Amino acid sequence: ALAKATEPITSRFSAVLLKTQSARSAALERAYQARAAVLDLAASTKAVVVGLQANVQAKGIRACAQDLATFAQLLARESAASAKVRAGESLESTRAKGLAKVEFVRQQAGEAKEAATLKATRLCAATGELVSQRSFQTTAVSATAGAVTLGAGGAATGAV
């Protein structure tokens, strides 16, 4: 009965122990990889330094400094040329996008113009129809006569 009661706890401890061992193994593997990378870097750095030292001894410090200055100028020129090319590409890309947007706006404006012209034509036709009807003409004449009469009456009242 005691073994059955402690089984969940011991299984949990076993799982934690297994995960801990796995994490430890992974950490050790990463440490070994990092150590190998550092050693490779140190070896290549040593080779560069030994080569530079031999070069300085063979040519002299002045010649090595001139070589380094020449290399720096070449690197600067190549970097500037590369930056110029990238700037030109960026400019062309931006120009193309701008032209595409201008064309889109022109198309939208053309469509809006056509829609407005169509609506204005329909409105003009509807207005012409309305004005040509006898009932509208009668109402308009009656309203105008009433406005003139009331306006004259108001003016007479105001004059008194």
Side-chain angles (χ1 to χ4, degrees):
L2 180 62
K4 191 173 184 178
T6 59
E7 183 180 334
I9 295 172
T10 56
S11 67
R12 181 72 177 151
F13 281 148
S14 295
V16 168
L17 181 62
L18 184 64
K19 286 184 181 180
T20 304
Q21 288 172 344
S22 175
R24 180 180 178 269
S25 296
L28 284 174
E29 180 63 28
R30 286 190 189 109
Y32 290 138
Q33 289 173 352
R35 180 177 179 256
V38 167
L39 289 176
D40 286 345
L41 182 61
S44 64
T45 302
K46 181 181 177 184
V48 168
V49 169
V50 168
L52 184 59
Q53 184 180 19
N55 200 11
V56 168
Q57 286 175 350
K59 290 183 178 180
I61 191 76
R62 179 170 286 202
C64 287
Q66 286 176 339
D67 288 348
L68 185 59
T70 303
F71 176 74
Q73 288 175 346
L74 178 65
L75 182 63
R77 279 191 214 116
E78 288 178 3
S79 295
S82 175
K84 186 176 180 180
V85 167
R86 284 193 315 268
E89 291 170 353
S90 177
L91 179 64
E92 288 300 318
S93 172
T94 303
R95 181 178 291 146
K97 288 177 185 176
L99 290 175
K101 288 183 180 183
V102 165
E103 186 58 35
F104 176 73
V105 168
R106 282 184 182 163
Q107 180 184 2
Q108 294 294 318
E111 291 173 6
K113 176 187 169 192
E114 290 174 13
T117 303
L118 181 63
K119 286 186 180 189
T121 303
R122 287 181 182 167
L123 180 62
C124 184
T127 303
E129 257 182 57
L130 181 65
V131 172
S132 67
Q133 293 177 359
R134 277 292 201 208
S135 61
F136 178 79
Q137 292 172 357
T138 304
T139 304
V141 168
S142 174
T144 303
V148 169
T149 304
L150 289 177
T157 304
V160 174

PDB file of all heavy atoms in Angstrom, residues 110-129:
ATOM      1  N   GLY A 110     -10.541  59.135 -63.546  1.00  0.00           N
ATOM      2  CA  GLY A 110     -11.302  58.936 -64.785  1.00  0.00           C
ATOM      3  C   GLY A 110     -12.642  58.269 -64.521  1.00  0.00           C
ATOM      4  O   GLY A 110     -13.674  58.671 -65.072  1.00  0.00           O
ATOM      5  N   GLU A 111     -12.615  57.250 -63.653  1.00  0.00           N
ATOM      6  CA  GLU A 111     -13.857  56.568 -63.300  1.00  0.00           C
ATOM      7  C   GLU A 111     -14.808  57.508 -62.563  1.00  0.00           C
ATOM      8  O   GLU A 111     -16.021  57.491 -62.809  1.00  0.00           O
ATOM      9  CB  GLU A 111     -13.554  55.332 -62.459  1.00  0.00           C
ATOM     10  CG  GLU A 111     -12.866  54.227 -63.231  1.00  0.00           C
ATOM     11  CD  GLU A 111     -12.427  53.070 -62.356  1.00  0.00           C
ATOM     12  OE1 GLU A 111     -12.763  53.059 -61.152  1.00  0.00           O
ATOM     13  OE2 GLU A 111     -11.744  52.169 -62.876  1.00  0.00           O
ATOM     14  N   ALA A 112     -14.262  58.342 -61.673  1.00  0.00           N
ATOM     15  CA  ALA A 112     -15.104  59.298 -60.942  1.00  0.00           C
ATOM     16  C   ALA A 112     -15.701  60.326 -61.905  1.00  0.00           C
ATOM     17  O   ALA A 112     -16.864  60.718 -61.767  1.00  0.00           O
ATOM     18  CB  ALA A 112     -14.284  59.999 -59.863  1.00  0.00           C
ATOM     19  N   LYS A 113     -14.897  60.752 -62.888  1.00  0.00           N
ATOM     20  CA  LYS A 113     -15.390  61.716 -63.886  1.00  0.00           C
ATOM     21  C   LYS A 113     -16.538  61.112 -64.683  1.00  0.00           C
ATOM     22  O   LYS A 113     -17.565  61.764 -64.905  1.00  0.00           O
ATOM     23  CB  LYS A 113     -14.248  62.129 -64.814  1.00  0.00           C
ATOM     24  CG  LYS A 113     -14.672  63.051 -65.926  1.00  0.00           C
ATOM     25  CD  LYS A 113     -13.532  63.288 -66.893  1.00  0.00           C
ATOM     26  CE  LYS A 113     -14.037  63.986 -68.135  1.00  0.00           C
ATOM     27  NZ  LYS A 113     -13.046  63.979 -69.196  1.00  0.00           N
ATOM     28  N   GLU A 114     -16.370  59.861 -65.113  1.00  0.00           N
ATOM     29  CA  GLU A 114     -17.425  59.197 -65.881  1.00  0.00           C
ATOM     30  C   GLU A 114     -18.701  59.053 -65.060  1.00  0.00           C
ATOM     31  O   GLU A 114     -19.802  59.298 -65.558  1.00  0.00           O
ATOM     32  CB  GLU A 114     -16.948  57.822 -66.343  1.00  0.00           C
ATOM     33  CG  GLU A 114     -15.890  57.862 -67.414  1.00  0.00           C
ATOM     34  CD  GLU A 114     -15.339  56.480 -67.754  1.00  0.00           C
ATOM     35  OE1 GLU A 114     -15.950  55.475 -67.337  1.00  0.00           O
ATOM     36  OE2 GLU A 114     -14.318  56.417 -68.445  1.00  0.00           O
ATOM     37  N   ALA A 115     -18.554  58.683 -63.791  1.00  0.00           N
ATOM     38  CA  ALA A 115     -19.722  58.527 -62.922  1.00  0.00           C
ATOM     39  C   ALA A 115     -20.417  59.871 -62.716  1.00  0.00           C
ATOM     40  O   ALA A 115     -21.655  59.959 -62.751  1.00  0.00           O
ATOM     41  CB  ALA A 115     -19.304  57.928 -61.580  1.00  0.00           C
ATOM     42  N   ALA A 116     -19.629  60.933 -62.496  1.00  0.00           N
ATOM     43  CA  ALA A 116     -20.219  62.264 -62.282  1.00  0.00           C
ATOM     44  C   ALA A 116     -20.922  62.754 -63.550  1.00  0.00           C
ATOM     45  O   ALA A 116     -22.017  63.337 -63.483  1.00  0.00           O
ATOM     46  CB  ALA A 116     -19.133  63.250 -61.872  1.00  0.00           C
ATOM     47  N   THR A 117     -20.324  62.506 -64.711  1.00  0.00           N
ATOM     48  CA  THR A 117     -20.946  62.916 -65.975  1.00  0.00           C
ATOM     49  C   THR A 117     -22.267  62.179 -66.186  1.00  0.00           C
ATOM     50  O   THR A 117     -23.269  62.786 -66.589  1.00  0.00           O
ATOM     51  CB  THR A 117     -19.985  62.627 -67.150  1.00  0.00           C
ATOM     52  OG1 THR A 117     -18.765  63.312 -66.920  1.00  0.00           O
ATOM     53  CG2 THR A 117     -20.567  63.055 -68.475  1.00  0.00           C
ATOM     54  N   LEU A 118     -22.263  60.881 -65.897  1.00  0.00           N
ATOM     55  CA  LEU A 118     -23.479  60.084 -66.042  1.00  0.00           C
ATOM     56  C   LEU A 118     -24.579  60.593 -65.106  1.00  0.00           C
ATOM     57  O   LEU A 118     -25.729  60.772 -65.516  1.00  0.00           O
ATOM     58  CB  LEU A 118     -23.174  58.611 -65.758  1.00  0.00           C
ATOM     59  CG  LEU A 118     -24.340  57.637 -65.896  1.00  0.00           C
ATOM     60  CD1 LEU A 118     -24.851  57.623 -67.333  1.00  0.00           C
ATOM     61  CD2 LEU A 118     -23.920  56.256 -65.464  1.00  0.00           C
ATOM     62  N   LYS A 119     -24.224  60.873 -63.863  1.00  0.00           N
ATOM     63  CA  LYS A 119     -25.226  61.368 -62.905  1.00  0.00           C
ATOM     64  C   LYS A 119     -25.734  62.754 -63.306  1.00  0.00           C
ATOM     65  O   LYS A 119     -26.929  63.048 -63.182  1.00  0.00           O
ATOM     66  CB  LYS A 119     -24.640  61.404 -61.495  1.00  0.00           C
ATOM     67  CG  LYS A 119     -24.510  60.026 -60.892  1.00  0.00           C
ATOM     68  CD  LYS A 119     -24.063  60.074 -59.458  1.00  0.00           C
ATOM     69  CE  LYS A 119     -23.966  58.660 -58.915  1.00  0.00           C
ATOM     70  NZ  LYS A 119     -23.751  58.617 -57.493  1.00  0.00           N
ATOM     71  N   ALA A 120     -24.834  63.615 -63.781  1.00  0.00           N
ATOM     72  CA  ALA A 120     -25.253  64.960 -64.212  1.00  0.00           C
ATOM     73  C   ALA A 120     -26.197  64.866 -65.413  1.00  0.00           C
ATOM     74  O   ALA A 120     -27.186  65.605 -65.497  1.00  0.00           O
ATOM     75  CB  ALA A 120     -24.033  65.805 -64.558  1.00  0.00           C
ATOM     76  N   THR A 121     -25.902  63.960 -66.326  1.00  0.00           N
ATOM     77  CA  THR A 121     -26.774  63.772 -67.502  1.00  0.00           C
ATOM     78  C   THR A 121     -28.158  63.294 -67.078  1.00  0.00           C
ATOM     79  O   THR A 121     -29.181  63.804 -67.558  1.00  0.00           O
ATOM     80  CB  THR A 121     -26.130  62.761 -68.473  1.00  0.00           C
ATOM     81  OG1 THR A 121     -24.834  63.224 -68.833  1.00  0.00           O
ATOM     82  CG2 THR A 121     -26.966  62.573 -69.719  1.00  0.00           C
ATOM     83  N   ARG A 122     -28.184  62.339 -66.167  1.00  0.00           N
ATOM     84  CA  ARG A 122     -29.472  61.835 -65.668  1.00  0.00           C
ATOM     85  C   ARG A 122     -30.238  62.927 -64.931  1.00  0.00           C
ATOM     86  O   ARG A 122     -31.457  63.058 -65.085  1.00  0.00           O
ATOM     87  CB  ARG A 122     -29.246  60.645 -64.740  1.00  0.00           C
ATOM     88  CG  ARG A 122     -28.834  59.395 -65.466  1.00  0.00           C
ATOM     89  CD  ARG A 122     -28.644  58.256 -64.515  1.00  0.00           C
ATOM     90  NE  ARG A 122     -28.187  57.046 -65.209  1.00  0.00           N
ATOM     91  CZ  ARG A 122     -27.702  55.991 -64.597  1.00  0.00           C
ATOM     92  NH1 ARG A 122     -27.617  55.963 -63.279  1.00  0.00           N
ATOM     93  NH2 ARG A 122     -27.305  54.944 -65.289  1.00  0.00           N
ATOM     94  N   LEU A 123     -29.529  63.725 -64.136  1.00  0.00           N
ATOM     95  CA  LEU A 123     -30.170  64.807 -63.386  1.00  0.00           C
ATOM     96  C   LEU A 123     -30.733  65.850 -64.341  1.00  0.00           C
ATOM     97  O   LEU A 123     -31.854  66.348 -64.148  1.00  0.00           O
ATOM     98  CB  LEU A 123     -29.168  65.445 -62.416  1.00  0.00           C
ATOM     99  CG  LEU A 123     -29.693  66.587 -61.558  1.00  0.00           C
ATOM    100  CD1 LEU A 123     -30.817  66.105 -60.645  1.00  0.00           C
ATOM    101  CD2 LEU A 123     -28.579  67.189 -60.730  1.00  0.00           C
ATOM    102  N   CYS A 124     -29.986  66.176 -65.372  1.00  0.00           N
ATOM    103  CA  CYS A 124     -30.448  67.159 -66.367  1.00  0.00           C
ATOM    104  C   CYS A 124     -31.695  66.643 -67.075  1.00  0.00           C
ATOM    105  O   CYS A 124     -32.664  67.386 -67.278  1.00  0.00           O
ATOM    106  CB  CYS A 124     -29.328  67.435 -67.371  1.00  0.00           C
ATOM    107  SG  CYS A 124     -29.734  68.717 -68.569  1.00  0.00           S
ATOM    108  N   ALA A 125     -31.690  65.368 -67.436  1.00  0.00           N
ATOM    109  CA  ALA A 125     -32.855  64.785 -68.106  1.00  0.00           C
ATOM    110  C   ALA A 125     -34.060  64.776 -67.174  1.00  0.00           C
ATOM    111  O   ALA A 125     -35.184  65.117 -67.579  1.00  0.00           O
ATOM    112  CB  ALA A 125     -32.534  63.371 -68.577  1.00  0.00           C
ATOM    113  N   ALA A 126     -33.857  64.414 -65.908  1.00  0.00           N
ATOM    114  CA  ALA A 126     -34.961  64.383 -64.947  1.00  0.00           C
ATOM    115  C   ALA A 126     -35.494  65.784 -64.700  1.00  0.00           C
ATOM    116  O   ALA A 126     -36.712  65.987 -64.584  1.00  0.00           O
ATOM    117  CB  ALA A 126     -34.489  63.752 -63.636  1.00  0.00           C
ATOM    118  N   THR A 127     -34.597  66.761 -64.631  1.00  0.00           N
ATOM    119  CA  THR A 127     -35.038  68.150 -64.428  1.00  0.00           C
ATOM    120  C   THR A 127     -35.837  68.636 -65.632  1.00  0.00           C
ATOM    121  O   THR A 127     -36.873  69.302 -65.487  1.00  0.00           O
ATOM    122  CB  THR A 127     -33.805  69.062 -64.201  1.00  0.00           C
ATOM    123  OG1 THR A 127     -33.069  68.576 -63.094  1.00  0.00           O
ATOM    124  CG2 THR A 127     -34.223  70.487 -63.938  1.00  0.00           C
ATOM    125  N   GLY A 128     -35.360  68.307 -66.834  1.00  0.00           N
ATOM    126  CA  GLY A 128     -36.095  68.693 -68.058  1.00  0.00           C
ATOM    127  C   GLY A 128     -37.478  68.071 -68.086  1.00  0.00           C
ATOM    128  O   GLY A 128     -38.458  68.718 -68.468  1.00  0.00           O
ATOM    129  N   GLU A 129     -37.590  66.809 -67.665  1.00  0.00           N
ATOM    130  CA  GLU A 129     -38.884  66.137 -67.613  1.00  0.00           C
ATOM    131  C   GLU A 129     -39.817  66.836 -66.630  1.00  0.00           C
ATOM    132  O   GLU A 129     -40.990  67.073 -66.912  1.00  0.00           O
ATOM    133  CB  GLU A 129     -38.701  64.685 -67.146  1.00  0.00           C
ATOM    134  CG  GLU A 129     -38.786  63.663 -68.222  1.00  0.00           C
ATOM    135  CD  GLU A 129     -38.643  62.272 -67.646  1.00  0.00           C
ATOM    136  OE1 GLU A 129     -39.428  61.897 -66.751  1.00  0.00           O
ATOM    137  OE2 GLU A 129     -37.718  61.578 -68.080  1.00  0.00           O
TER     138      GLU A 129
END
